Amino acid sequence: MLIAFKDILWAEDAGAGKIEVAYAKPRGGHKFKASTALLKLRRSGDGNDVTAKTIMDHAYGSARPGKRILVLINPHGGQGKAEAIYRRHAAPIFAAARCTTDIVITKRRNHATEIARDVDVAKYDAVVCCSGDGLPHEVLNGFAKRPDCQKVLKTLPLCQLPCGSGNAMAVSLFGHPSPSLAALSIVKGCPMPLDLMYMTQGATTSLSFLSQSYGIVADCDLGTENLRWMGGIRFDLGVLVKTVSGTTYPCEIAVKYVHRDVSQAKAYYERHVDGHSEEDSSLVDPFTDSLALPPPRLGTVNDPLSDDWQKLHLESLSMFYVGNMPYMSATALMFPYALPNDGTLELLHWETSIGRVNSLNTLLDVEKGNHVNNPKISYSKIEAYRLTPKITKGYLSVDGESFPLEPYQVEIWPRAACTLSPFYTYANAAK
Ligand code: ADP
Ligand code: MG
């Protein structure tokens, strides 16, 4: 029997020349099951015998064994099975890896925000949200309310164990929405800096880690709550209906571009994809003395627009999407050139002039990320933007959560947060 070091969760001396190894046994389909094996050691006689410690060193590398995890479970996420999924697929792997867990089941909307605001962060090595993308969004915004916000964001990894209808974070980081794969990846993951998106709207500020969308996608994300029982399929169905109906979502945008067209974005990605970034040791950005949430570097939505932002009037906009993770679902590689901490956001939009047939084909191309080659689609890497909707009824989705349909501005906040990654980059970039 062969057990890969990457699957080993724990090793300890069992006496009589044997070592007991706990490991995540691959079951096919990206699923793993906690198992154990008793290894009989061969004595080499040269003093280099394999010990439980050498196995543990190989199995973990620079990752921390026995992590202390705060587990937050959203009983409302997905089809309402988050707790059962956690107990069945994740808890046995955490236990086998000698991780300790404190488990909280959220009682209401924004409960995770309150928990993150008040939690004693010194007690944990990670916060794991058994949910869709909604709970990580709430946790980030709870951290944002703390006086030690910058330090907590940067040093306490925020992770997702996929249990929702939208599990973009887990798919982007681990490559698949399998809860047991996520548990194993969290156990074996190292802290990795993550760029955040800092948003202002009216007098409020919010942090976003995944996306903002307006137009087709937002409508389908948020206008299909009544179809929650369908699971992820509800998004695809919603998009199809809207595409066929040709709805427009007029708006004005102003953008601070870094790489304006897709060939530049791609070239940039290819230059940076192999250069795994170093871990960041400086805790505080130089421009603030306090650890609380700093003001946005580029001002708020209420400030005059800066001259170096390009203004666009999009009268027949169909879809507007900004993100910082590659996968928006397991079957949508929406932003193929996204990197976790490259200091840029991905912006994608198209207008109804793309045509309905083309638009439908484009949605099919999204699965492999080929949509970005469509000349009617604009794909860029940007630093900041402002969006002013020209309609009063409709949806604005931030990380899959509903926001008021009012003007807002977003800028990148480089390396502000951290998560756990087994690859030190996004899963698609690691291949
Ligand atoms: P999904 O991907 O299925 O939408 P999410 O984890 O993103 O799942 O969560 C959806 C929503 O559930 C979030 O807006 C969150 O605020 C809300 N929520 C969290 N806990 C509860 C609860 N106990 N009751 C109702 N809603 C909740
Ligand atoms: Mg990025």
Side-chain angles (χ1 to χ4, degrees):
M1 179 181 60
L2 276 176
I3 304 173
F5 278 116
K6 71 174 179 50
D7 296 337
I8 293 181
L9 302 169
W10 200 261
E12 69 187 15
D13 207 331
K18 291 184 178 167
I19 294 177
E20 185 170 297
V21 170
Y23 67 105
K25 187 175 192 172
R27 311 283 292 184
H30 303 272
K31 293 193 182 113
F32 294 84
K33 190 168 188 279
S35 310
T36 54
L38 211 49
L39 307 185
K40 190 161 166 35
L41 299 178
R42 263 173 285 158
R43 297 276 163 211
S44 62
D46 61 2
N48 291 324
D49 288 344
V50 172
T51 62
K53 184 180 177 309
T54 55
I55 294 177
M56 282 295 280
D57 288 348
H58 273 85
Y60 277 87
S62 56
R64 172 197 275 256
K67 293 186 176 90
R68 303 161 303 159
I69 304 176
L70 174 60
V71 176
L72 304 179
I73 298 179
N74 178 0
H76 179 73
Q79 291 161 295
K81 297 184 189 139
E83 187 173 358
I85 293 172
Y86 172 74
R87 303 239 176 246
R88 176 144 181 230
H89 299 286
I93 289 179
F94 289 161
R98 308 290 201 275
C99 292
T100 55
T101 51
D102 284 341
I103 300 173
V104 184
I105 297 174
T106 58
K107 294 203 166 60
R108 57 190 170 273
R109 234 188 126 80
N110 291 324
H111 188 190
T113 302
E114 294 160 29
I115 294 167
R117 182 194 59 202
D118 301 331
V119 69
D120 177 0
V121 290
K123 283 169 63 184
Y124 301 107
D125 301 310
V127 178
V128 171
C129 299
C130 303
S131 65
D133 298 309
L135 235 50
H137 173 88
E138 290 193 358
V139 169
L140 273 184
N141 285 285
F143 288 162
K145 294 184 198 305
R146 302 173 63 104
D148 56 355
C149 153
Q150 297 191 45
K151 183 173 166 205
V152 174
L153 281 172
K154 264 195 178 178
T155 53
L156 181 55
L158 174 60
C159 309
Q160 177 182 57
L161 205 121
C163 297
S165 355
N167 302 304
M169 184 178 193
V171 176
S172 295
L173 284 157
F174 311 137
H176 191 273
S178 153
S180 54
L181 171 68
L184 172 61
S185 306
I186 288 165
V187 164
K188 291 306 193 67
C190 290
M192 172 175 81
L194 202 59
D195 294 344
L196 288 182
M197 294 169 276
Y198 192 134
M199 170 174 178
T200 59
Q201 185 177 47
T204 58
T205 58
S206 316
L207 298 178
S208 159
F209 71 98
L210 179 66
S211 64
Q212 301 93 43
S213 67
Y214 167 70
I216 285 187
V217 173
D219 273 22
C220 298
D221 210 351
L222 302 169
T224 56
E225 270 290 313
N226 52 336
L227 302 178
R228 183 164 276 281
W229 54 271
M230 282 186 154
I233 308 162
R234 74 177 215 253
F235 302 125
D236 303 338
L237 251 184
V239 171
L240 267 174
V241 171
K242 293 285 171 185
T243 304
V244 171
S245 74
T247 314
T248 63
Y249 304 84
C251 65
E252 273 173 28
I253 60 174
V255 185
K256 187 164 199 248
Y257 285 104
V258 180
H259 299 291
R260 182 145 185 183
D261 69 49
V262 66
S263 56
Q264 291 170 326
K266 183 175 185 211
Y268 173 90
Y269 173 82
E270 283 167 355
R271 279 200 307 280
H272 288 82
V273 67
D274 294 328
H276 291 208
S277 54
E278 321 271 280
E279 206 168 324
D280 209 340
S281 56
S282 66
L283 287 183
V284 192
D285 287 333
F287 57 89
T288 49
D289 334 304
S290 140
L291 289 171
L293 187 73
R297 280 173 307 126
L298 304 175
T300 76
V301 67
N302 305 311
D303 292 321
L305 266 180
S306 155
D307 291 338
D308 58 343
W309 294 32
Q310 308 267 335
K311 294 171 198 66
L312 301 175
H313 296 269
L314 303 173
E315 290 310 324
S316 56
L317 182 91
S318 173
M319 130 121 164
F320 177 95
Y321 217 156
V322 168
N324 191 42
M325 288 194 172
Y327 283 93
M328 292 297 117
S329 79
T331 53
L333 180 51
M334 192 64 71
F335 303 115
Y337 306 131
L339 289 168
N341 45 48
D342 67 339
T344 70
L345 305 175
E346 322 293 298
L347 161 63
L348 191 133
H349 61 87
W350 75 68
E351 301 195 66
T352 48
S353 63
I354 194 172
R356 286 180 201 181
V357 173
N358 201 344
S359 186
L360 269 177
N361 286 335
T362 299
L363 289 170
L364 299 177
D365 281 345
V366 167
E367 180 162 359
K368 301 265 183 296
N370 294 328
H371 58 295
V372 302
N373 300 317
N374 185 323
K376 295 261 188 188
I377 292 184
S378 162
Y379 186 104
S380 357
K381 280 190 168 277
I382 68 169
E383 194 182 327
Y385 73 100
R386 180 181 296 185
L387 188 145
T388 309
K390 293 282 169 214
I391 51 174
T392 49
K393 266 187 128 170
Y395 293 97
L396 171 64
S397 163
V398 177
D399 299 346
E401 300 292 292
S402 178
F403 272 60
L405 189 59
E406 286 163 18
Y408 69 95
Q409 181 165 314
V410 168
E411 66 175 46
I412 192 150
W413 185 7
R415 304 171 83 92
C418 86
T419 186
L420 292 173
S421 162
F423 309 119
Y424 223 65
T425 185
Y426 288 136
N428 60 320
K431 281 168 201 158

